[in-house]
Amino acid sequence: MVGEPLPSVRVAGEGAAAVKKEGALMVYRKWVDAPRGLPPGSLVVIEDRRGELLGCGLYDTVGPVALRLVELGSCSFSSAEEAVYALIEAAYKVRQRIGYAGDPEAGYRLVHSDGDMMPGLIVDVYADLAVYQSSSIVWDVHGETVARALAEITGVRHVYEKSLQRTRRDIGLPPREGLRIGNKTRTIIREGEARFIVDARIGQKTGFFLDQRLNRLDFGRLAEGTVLDLFSYTGGFGIQALLNGAERAVFVEEDEKAVKLLRSNLELNRVADRAEIVQSNVWSFLASATNKGESYNAISVDPPAFIPHPGAYRKGVQAYTRLYALSARIGSNDSLLALSSCSTHLNREDFMRVVARALAWSGRSYRPLGSVRGMPPDHPVRPSSPHLEYLKSIFIVLD
Amino acid sequence: MVGEPLPSVRVAGEGAAAVKKEGALMVYRKWVDAPRGLPPGSLVVIEDRRGELLGCGLYDTVGPVALRLVELGSCSFSSAEEAVYALIEAAYKVRQRIGYAGDPEAGYRLVHSDGDMMPGLIVDVYADLAVYQSSSIVWDVHGETVARALAEITGVRHVYEKSLQRTRRDIGLPPREGLRIGNKTRTIIREGEARFIVDARIGQKTGFFLDQRLNRLDFGRLAEGTVLDLFSYTGGFGIQALLNGAERAVFVEEDEKAVKLLRSNLELNRVADRAEIVQSNVWSFLASATNKGESYNAISVDPPAFIPHPGAYRKGVQAYTRLYALSARIGSNDSLLALSSCSTHLNREDFMRVVARALAWSGRSYRPLGSVRGMPPDHPVRPSSPHLEYLKSIFIVLD
């Protein structure tokens, strides 16, 4: 059966230019002229004012973005369902190519929004469980298709939606959460020699921070002696270190649920006897460690976003500077320092400036290992969507 | 014997603030008040106007920089020679820690200027040969000590100086080149499964581009089918691909001396039968390939710096955009594209914009693998010296 022709939507001026010249995948409502009553999630052909084809997109009715492009320069899809399947398939192929998908115990990001031509959708795969997060009514509408495609293409048996993020609230979308397929919200993934429990229900974001995978593995390889894992969450950095030659690790985490999972992860990896959990605010811990003159041979500093919105910039920069400086002060000679920030609003240059200031303030001499590390291969950042690049980390050896 | 006390140099205002607050390692002459007749290369104690200790540095008499700091916050060295040995030793320890040094056939950057607290000095180690580049009279004066320290600490038997870069000329320093220790200027390094001939005398920079090591290895792992290595120089990208499953590789290089080494590298790696060398200007090659409708499954695009000085920015950006777009056009479906720029004057954001524009212009849909890649671990970029971050690369899969 040949389907109906797709509705077409015209994009004006700068909106069209951004798509054509930069490959932008989101078009603001002010540039868009759509047929009246077009339902949210409709697959549409996108043209500029003169009728030149710009691509295919999904029509959005909530918030400032009116079009989310899923194809550029041509429009080969005949239905939204077809597009969803094709896009998830393409995303999966790339993850296979880079070696992240395939292993049934693997954890990897399968869909990274614009980076995978699905602006507004995030999907993380944890072994047999996929967790997705929609930032748009477009993906709310197609949630069932997304869930089915995930199960069919990746082989997961359970699909959970966790769309609770602030950006939804900001544009007036309600939170959404629940099992869409299957019956499990908790599973175990493998990362190098380590295994981690992932619980979509209780965790931050989709349940686990896959973006730090390479940093955890490198930290594990480089860390020796006594390790400090600040904002440890469920223990990723410290456990990699314990499995790779570190003698002892101290985990500092405030959240009770995270501590519970951390404890289970330590047992799962048989390193509980070399671990100490401090359920505490990191600032109090640092004050006390400094007072007691403690020192550590390797420190991971991976705080939550201190700059959740642009208005928090100044305060956030102060917090990062102070945190990195205090951490550097309790590093032993030759100690490894892994400093991270996941604040989108702290760009890479600002991050470098913060690190430079913090280290100067700490009075410690140091040598960086390489430059600032960015997003891993399963978190593709489309050059036209630099806002997807939120994670910055730097590895430093203190003198 | 206790040495003479070090001469002391005062640094004023913003110069001192930059050292104290950001950890800056270079101080411009206008902030510096030094004893009259102080010889270039003198190790000095650096203080601010009120006598607060800022660190140790080497006194520079040529060009706008008057002080190059080699220690921050304290001054523990008693002679320049002691400082050179200690700094090279520390740099070497970091390279051992990250696994780059140790193997007698390894090629790695040992000293990356400010990144190793030796602002203005670059040292690359190629198996038994070290090549250094001085950008300052400071390191010219201490060249003999540098050479001896390199031999003693790393075990190389040959040390070659190659200080021919433009920045020397700009500040009025003459070019310097020659064997400082030993008698070899040519050697062989191993990189993954590949071996490469390095010839310090005829090559670009210090003879080989160690900065692309990780990109070459990743390109090799991901490339399949027919590979195109543009600006191939001595063949790094294509040879890694041929050793990792690619069927055939076409190398495009204009320079006769590079082509000669490339030919030897192909034979050394026993892949000459699957390689084709096109000794040509890359632009002509691309025009011809486009005309003939050729297509490639993996393409490395690693041109020389198109923006050698800020005045060339506009023209350089056009050249990059055109080059990346033309390369994308001859990529087959699912082909891998590795795009690089080593222009310091094209920052990371600009690079992303260039890539976005080039791909939009090419009319190709694509998926990036991760984000823009920066400098590798043996090229440390001190956050206070972001100018050391010149290399940007992005890996893309074309639809």
Side-chain angles (χ1 to χ4, degrees), chain B residues 81-362:
Chain B
E81 188 172 40
E82 187 194 333
V84 166
Y85 271 79
L87 292 164
I88 291 178
E89 178 92 51
Y92 187 68
K93 271 173 70 183
V94 165
R95 301 323 185 267
Q96 286 184 306
R97 185 157 184 169
I98 58 178
Y100 278 55
D103 172 2
E105 287 185 284
Y108 58 92
R109 175 149 293 183
L110 173 62
V111 175
H112 189 57
S113 198
D114 310 44
D116 288 288
M117 300 295 291
M118 302 179 92
L121 183 69
I122 296 289
V123 182
D124 286 336
V125 171
Y126 304 116
D128 54 352
L129 166 68
V131 182
Y132 75 87
Q133 182 193 74
S134 157
S135 300
S136 157
I137 194 161
V138 158
W139 304 113
D140 291 0
V141 165
H142 295 298
E144 207 181 300
T145 309
V146 168
R148 259 190 295 116
L150 290 175
E152 287 174 30
I153 293 164
T154 71
V156 298
R157 301 207 167 172
H158 316 275
V159 180
Y160 191 74
E161 173 172 8
K162 197 166 177 201
S163 305
L164 308 175
Q165 67 280 21
R166 181 197 174 91
T167 47
R168 285 183 69 90
R169 201 181 55 207
D170 291 348
I171 57 169
L173 284 174
R176 289 162 61 98
E177 184 176 22
L179 262 168
R180 301 293 174 241
I181 290 177
N183 49 40
K184 259 177 62 172
T185 58
R186 190 184 173 107
T187 190
I188 293 176
I189 59 167
R190 184 182 295 279
E191 181 181 273
E193 299 299 303
R195 296 169 80 209
F196 296 116
I197 300 162
V198 178
D199 191 320
R201 228 182 262 268
I202 73 165
Q204 302 279 321
K205 299 282 178 75
T206 68
F208 193 74
F209 295 103
L210 293 168
D211 49 6
Q212 289 277 21
R213 163 170 34 189
L214 294 177
N215 294 335
R216 282 189 293 266
L217 289 168
D218 283 349
F219 183 82
R221 270 191 288 273
L222 294 166
E224 291 168 3
T226 302
V227 171
L228 178 61
D229 187 345
L230 296 175
F231 305 96
S232 73
Y233 189 49
T234 59
F237 281 90
I239 288 171
Q240 286 293 4
L242 286 173
L243 289 173
N244 278 278
E247 285 156 32
R248 219 179 118 249
V250 176
F251 297 84
V252 184
E253 172 58 50
E254 203 170 6
D255 181 73
E256 191 161 346
K257 287 179 185 165
V259 165
K260 225 174 133 189
L261 271 194
L262 164 58
R263 201 163 278 133
S264 304
N265 278 334
L266 292 171
E267 273 156 30
L268 181 66
N269 289 282
R270 304 177 186 212
V271 292
D273 55 322
R274 293 183 285 139
E276 182 189 337
I277 299 175
V278 182
Q279 193 179 337
S280 156
N281 174 290
V282 162
W283 301 101
S284 321
F285 173 86
L286 283 170
S288 144
T290 305
N291 279 341
K292 289 190 252 169
E294 288 178 2
S295 85
Y296 295 87
N297 304 106
I299 307 177
S300 162
V301 188
D302 183 23
F306 285 158
I307 312 177
H309 53 87
Y313 183 81
R314 213 190 137 99
K315 221 177 135 186
V317 162
Q318 283 170 357
Y320 281 119
T321 310
R322 202 173 139 72
L323 175 66
Y324 297 158
L326 292 172
S327 306
R329 283 197 190 147
I330 58 167
S332 64
N333 292 348
D334 289 327
S335 74
L336 175 71
L337 207 57
L339 307 175
S340 293
S341 163
C342 62
S343 292
T344 309
H345 304 291
L346 188 75
N347 69 28
R348 206 158 173 276
E349 269 176 67
D350 294 349
F351 175 73
M352 289 176 88
R353 199 170 307 119
V354 164
V355 170
R357 294 212 155 206
L359 270 292
W361 186 27
S362 78

Side-chain angles (χ1 to χ4, degrees), chain B residues 51-89:
Chain B
E52 194 189 329
L53 183 65
L54 299 178
C56 260
L58 296 164
Y59 184 60
D60 196 322
T61 55
V62 180
V65 173
L67 286 175
R68 294 174 186 267
L69 276 87
V70 295
E71 191 176 354
L72 277 168
S74 54
C75 187
S76 61
F77 302 122
S78 57
S79 72
E81 188 172 40
E82 187 194 333
V84 166
Y85 271 79
L87 292 164
I88 291 178
E89 178 92 51

